[in-house]
Amino acid sequence: MTVHSPSAFPGDLFLAPYSGPGQYGPMILDENGAVVWFKALSPQGTRASDFRVQQYEGKPVLTWWQDPLVGNGQRNAGEVIANSAYQQIAIVRAGNGYQPDLHEFQITPQGTALITIYNGIDCNLSAVGGPKDGAVADTLMQEIDLKTGLVMFEWHSLDHVALADSYASSVHASQTTPFDYFHINSTDIEQDGDLLIDSRNTWAAYDVDPLTGRVRWKLGGKHSSFAMGPGARPAWQHDARQQPDGTITFFDNGATPITHPQSRAIQLMLDMPHMTATLIRHDEHPKPLVAGSQGNVQALANGNWVVGWREAPYLSEFSPAAALLFDAHLPAAYESYRTYRLPWTGQPTGAPAVAYLRAPVAQGGGVVYASWNGATQVASWRVLAGSSPASLAPASSAVKTGFETAIALSGAAAGPYAAVQALDASGAVIGVSAAVKMSASA
């Protein structure tokens, strides 16, 4: 973390690192960049994506896409819903024989979910410069009823958008690597109930009638319904969202191949009577970043924006005046498809973890290490020590610092047994570890 202004919006950070050499999985960081919760996925190489807080059955939950996801007799990609105790409470699969894609899992107030899907189809691509025996990726979205798993609505890009509208090349398309002419990457529900579907490879977002599937208008691309003002045209973009004021935000990758000098977060104002689109805000990283894939823009309640730069592994927050209020990055090899700043309260069902390391005999005492993966309400730790697990008494305490807190014990207070109590801001005990016997210090 390299920038952290007091003006940054409160809330935890949600991401799902992958692509590097270590463990992959959904991760929550606090405002200071310290780990709050991490779920290490297995087997090695299992990925998570689009990790965030949503509402399900009236309660805040954690959701993410995972591949592979074992459950309900299946072992393929799926969507996970977990409660505030980090317990998996539902698995959502695509319908009609498809598998869900990583790009979108959005729960609606109607108890349904919007998901994205990629499906390869054999196709003669000679009309768009590709092989006669090629294949195309029909990228589609489904609305799934969460109670029954039934498909409520299904929209196919091939039914509504021409192959020639793509900026991608079909020259090397095959059954192994289908022509990704559309590349759906987000779906959103607009204020009038229409769907806003984003296509990276046609450089456009589409307003779709949720009953008929008909495209009402196109924003950007080769045949935009709007006259695009200076700087308003996105390229290879992600994450089209309608904001409460009716404007549309994008993460405008501008690559790959490079079309803009750097990636940016943009906001467009649509004048429907005159069918014009005007750029009214854009944020760029002071270190020019070019993200060839992925990325998102989250508009916060105070007007700040959280931007996930993804292939460039940065996460940033900007004020409405484009001031950089928060900036951090993952190690260079890692990526996280999206980043969010969101409120979250987690209370794990398991007990806190404790380790006790005895100091050299001449020195006496030792150090207790306390942590509790996912517990958001811990303000401080109290150490209990004694001659047996049944005879522990308060021996020391410390304010919680980071994921794991080190607490020194004097020689007089030392065990040989120790446990920790997790205390909330009022001093109430909210969790107790098992007692452990201290090990010798090196």
Side-chain angles (χ1 to χ4, degrees):
M1 184 171 64
T2 53
V3 177
H4 189 190
S5 165
S7 300
F9 200 74
D12 294 326
L13 293 162
F14 291 75
L15 58 160
Y18 74 97
S19 188
Q23 295 172 316
Y24 302 166
M27 174 186 286
I28 305 174
L29 305 177
D30 69 15
E31 297 179 42
N32 298 308
V35 175
V36 173
W37 180 72
F38 178 67
K39 179 179 177 64
L41 298 179
S42 61
Q44 184 73 19
T46 301
R47 290 188 301 154
S49 180
D50 197 22
F51 175 51
R52 54 175 152 164
V53 180
Q54 299 197 67
Q55 291 287 318
Y56 175 63
E57 297 183 338
K59 297 180 180 179
V61 292
L62 298 175
T63 66
W64 67 90
W65 171 90
Q66 183 174 319
D67 185 26
L69 175 60
V70 179
N72 300 342
Q74 297 187 53
R75 183 186 176 86
N76 52 33
E79 317 283 359
V80 178
I81 303 176
N83 62 18
S84 60
Y86 305 97
Q87 299 168 315
Q88 181 178 289
I89 57 175
I91 291 176
V92 182
R93 306 283 186 180
N96 298 336
Y98 296 117
Q99 289 194 50
D101 165 72
L102 63 87
H103 285 97
E104 188 74 81
F105 176 54
Q106 182 177 158
I107 298 176
T108 74
Q110 291 72 41
T112 64
L114 307 180
I115 63 174
T116 52
I117 295 165
Y118 281 58
N119 181 47
I121 297 175
D122 292 341
C123 184
N124 181 348
L125 297 172
S126 58
V128 288
K132 291 182 179 180
D133 57 349
V136 65
D138 179 23
T139 56
L140 59 138
M141 61 81 58
Q142 288 182 343
E143 183 177 9
I144 303 291
D145 180 74
L146 291 174
K147 287 186 177 180
T148 64
L150 296 176
V151 177
M152 309 292 290
F153 177 78
E154 186 170 294
W155 185 89
H156 293 250
S157 59
L158 280 176
D159 291 339
H160 301 279
V161 180
L163 296 180
D165 285 356
S166 183
Y167 288 87
S169 172
S170 64
V171 172
H172 301 294
S174 67
Q175 292 181 334
T176 304
T177 56
F179 175 33
D180 189 9
Y181 92 104
F182 191 82
H183 195 102
I184 191 172
N185 58 48
S186 70
T187 60
D188 195 29
I189 300 177
E190 299 178 80
Q191 295 168 18
D192 62 3
D194 280 7
L195 297 169
L196 184 66
I197 297 177
D198 190 53
S199 164
R200 177 190 190 273
N201 287 350
T202 67
W203 299 8
Y206 299 81
D207 180 282
V208 173
D209 184 321
L211 297 178
T212 66
R214 181 175 65 89
V215 174
R216 297 185 195 272
W217 49 254
K218 307 171 187 177
L219 178 60
K222 294 180 180 180
H223 306 288
S224 179
S225 305
F226 297 84
M228 307 297 288
R233 188 176 294 276
W236 313 111
Q237 79 289 338
H238 285 73
D239 200 38
R241 304 289 169 187
Q242 186 186 56
Q243 301 304 323
D245 62 0
T247 59
I248 306 295
T249 55
F250 292 99
F251 180 77
D252 183 16
N253 298 73
T256 297
I258 294 177
T259 305
H260 302 326
Q262 64 185 100
S263 300
R264 57 186 185 149
I266 63 173
Q267 183 177 23
L268 306 184
M269 181 176 65
L270 306 185
D271 182 339
M272 301 304 293
H274 300 94
M275 296 304 286
T276 61
T278 304
L279 179 69
I280 60 173
R281 177 174 173 179
H282 67 281
D283 289 340
E284 298 173 339
H285 199 280
K287 175 183 178 180
L289 300 176
V290 177
S293 68
Q294 308 165 81
N296 72 304
V297 180
Q298 180 196 7
L300 301 175
N302 68 344
N304 290 358
W305 281 0
V306 168
V307 180
W309 302 93
R310 304 336 339 133
E311 193 175 67
Y314 281 73
L315 42 146
S316 310
E317 182 177 338
F318 296 90
S319 74
L324 183 62
L325 304 178
F326 181 91
D327 199 40
H329 60 272
L330 297 168
Y334 283 89
E335 302 176 22
S336 178
Y337 168 50
R338 289 175 176 166
T339 297
Y340 300 93
R341 187 186 288 281
L342 298 163
W344 174 248
T345 300
Q347 179 67 31
T349 56
V354 61
Y356 186 8
L357 189 65
R358 181 177 13 208
V361 175
Q363 181 178 336
V367 178
V368 169
Y369 297 89
S371 63
W372 198 3
N373 191 26
T376 61
Q377 301 292 84
V378 180
S380 61
W381 294 99
R382 178 187 293 145
V383 178
L384 309 177
S387 59
S388 73
S391 60
L392 303 180
S396 186
S397 62
V399 173
K400 178 180 179 290
T401 56
F403 183 78
E404 184 177 63
T405 303
I407 309 159
L409 288 182
S410 66
Y417 289 91
V420 291
Q421 295 176 330
L423 311 180
D424 65 15
S426 70
V429 177
I430 57 174
V432 183
S433 76
V436 295
K437 190 172 184 179
M438 61 184 173
S439 60
S441 174

